[in-house]
Amino acid sequence: MAKQVKSVSPVPLNDELDIVIPTIRSLVFLEVWRPFFEKYHLIIVQDGDPNKVIKVPDGFDYELFNRNDINRILGPKASCISFKDGGCRCFGFLVSKKKYIYTIDDDCFVAKDPSGKDINTAEQHLLNLKTPSTPFFFNTLYDPYREGADFVRGYPFSLREGVPTAVSHGLWLNIPDYDAPTQLVKPLERNSRYVDAVMTIPKGSFYPMCAMNLAFNRELIGPAMYFGLMGDGQPISRYDDMLAGWCSKLICDHLNLGVKTGLPYLWHSKASNPFVNLQKEYKGLFWQEEIIPFFQSLTLPKECDDAAKCYLELAKLIKEKLSHIDPYIVRLADAMVTWIEAWELFNPPEQAVPALANNVKKDAQAPPKKSK
């Protein structure tokens, strides 16, 4: 049974956003986030040893799922959820019932803006997601919907309505999100540049999506936010969010949805071991030089009119066009299909809720259980 603690805080719970946190350790980091996170429901996905007790500070409303829970709830489809990799977080995306998801890593803390004010990341992400994007024509004042900004002279009036925003990609101060080779040559580099800007990533442009400070509209793009088959038993890791970024951006472009990057910032406190990272990444460093041009060349058919249909088509194309890279690519493409099957069970287009999804529903109805 997934552990669940009802908040003892008098603050009413927000009904539109869940916060998803993958972890292998007790979540003492939540104390610094309390002023901002206590009004949200947390979905904690415990990676690694399921017998380890993960402690969550009192006063947070949460569900905690370990690997045993994932296996019991998904059955054979649990094979698509990564183990010993941050990609396990997508299980939280699967079982959430909120419109928006914000996912954050457990080594990230509250940052301050240049005025010294603490940054409320969840609030800024929601603002980004609730205002339109402008992927078809770049506005040189960046986000025209921010207070104090607008469309500049020469911006087409026919495009000023914008499009719905599906993804909000936040950034980080202190430890930058570098790959292993860059970590090795710049071990002491820290990011102290705070750029007060939000911008839409243009249609046709891809970007390296980092999951440590990421929010998205689950209803618009949720099926494409699969973090792949990574980690234990796989030849690659640390490309879980990269894969989701490539897939979701291609699908956003196809469906005329927007992706924003920039604010909010958080404080990334811990640099991971570059030698361990190199072992995890090294195949991906080669493979990406072929995989990224593949994504850049793709055009999805018009019949793919929602994120799930797009994702299944993409899985088929990956299997057809990239399987020569490594046998792993076939397993990845098959896992992508399994992910959509699981997604549709938990998020059925019709009113009926299948028995598989009812497993989580029953857990949620069980009496609250506190961590020991």
Side-chain angles (χ1 to χ4, degrees), residues 33-80:
W33 288 104
R34 184 179 295 277
F36 304 130
F37 286 5
E38 65 181 352
K39 68 178 180 179
Y40 298 106
H41 179 65
L42 311 181
I43 299 176
I44 300 163
V45 184
Q46 178 180 346
D47 201 13
D49 182 4
N51 296 313
K52 182 177 179 179
V53 175
I54 299 294
K55 295 181 180 179
V56 181
D58 290 338
F60 288 95
D61 183 88
Y62 73 92
E63 292 169 285
L64 188 152
F65 299 93
N66 61 33
R67 191 68 199 191
N68 292 339
D69 297 317
I70 294 171
N71 290 339
R72 174 182 53 78
I73 291 166
L74 289 182
K77 296 187 190 306
S79 62
C80 73

Side-chain angles (χ1 to χ4, degrees), residues 230-283:
M230 307 276 164
D232 191 56
Q234 308 304 330
I236 187 174
S237 189
R238 281 174 56 85
Y239 271 85
D240 51 328
D241 44 6
M242 297 296 112
L243 173 72
W246 301 331
C247 293
S248 61
K249 184 58 167 65
L250 178 75
I251 292 171
C252 282
D253 286 353
H254 175 73
L255 297 176
N256 289 336
L257 301 172
V259 177
K260 293 180 180 179
T261 188
L263 301 180
Y265 282 83
L266 49 65
W267 184 269
H268 184 207
S269 67
K270 182 182 176 183
S272 50
N273 187 312
F275 296 100
V276 173
N277 289 347
L278 187 59
Q279 288 181 311
K280 295 177 178 180
E281 293 174 358
Y282 79 95
K283 288 192 175 182

Side-chain angles (χ1 to χ4, degrees), residues 219-348:
E219 295 176 359
L220 293 178
I221 201 64
M225 282 295 180
Y226 174 51
F227 278 49
L229 198 59
M230 307 276 164
D232 191 56
Q234 308 304 330
I236 187 174
S237 189
R238 281 174 56 85
Y239 271 85
D240 51 328
D241 44 6
M242 297 296 112
L243 173 72
W246 301 331
C247 293
S248 61
K249 184 58 167 65
L250 178 75
I251 292 171
C252 282
D253 286 353
H254 175 73
L255 297 176
N256 289 336
L257 301 172
V259 177
K260 293 180 180 179
T261 188
L263 301 180
Y265 282 83
L266 49 65
W267 184 269
H268 184 207
S269 67
K270 182 182 176 183
S272 50
N273 187 312
F275 296 100
V276 173
N277 289 347
L278 187 59
Q279 288 181 311
K280 295 177 178 180
E281 293 174 358
Y282 79 95
K283 288 192 175 182
L285 297 173
F286 292 99
W287 294 352
Q288 70 182 11
E289 302 305 314
E290 183 171 353
I291 293 173
I292 292 172
F294 161 78
F295 276 93
Q296 291 172 323
S297 70
L298 283 184
T299 300
L300 296 174
K302 292 180 180 179
E303 294 74 26
C304 295
D305 56 5
D306 65 32
K309 291 177 185 176
C310 290
Y311 203 74
L312 287 174
E313 178 69 17
L314 188 49
K316 183 184 77 173
L317 293 170
I318 286 172
K319 193 171 189 176
E320 288 177 359
K321 305 295 185 181
L322 296 178
S323 60
H324 65 278
I325 293 176
D326 191 273
Y328 160 78
I329 299 295
V330 174
R331 298 200 304 274
L332 171 63
D334 289 342
M336 293 169 69
V337 174
T338 302
W339 162 259
I340 294 298
E341 292 171 353
W343 183 274
E344 291 181 342
L345 285 168
F346 280 90
N347 305 274

Side-chain angles (χ1 to χ4, degrees), residues 88-99:
C88 68
R89 78 182 76 219
C90 63
F91 179 79
F93 308 162
L94 187 71
V95 299
S96 171
K97 295 302 178 186
K98 302 289 174 59
K99 181 175 183 177

Side-chain angles (χ1 to χ4, degrees), residues 134-135 180 195 282 293 315:
T134 54
V195 180
Y282 79 95

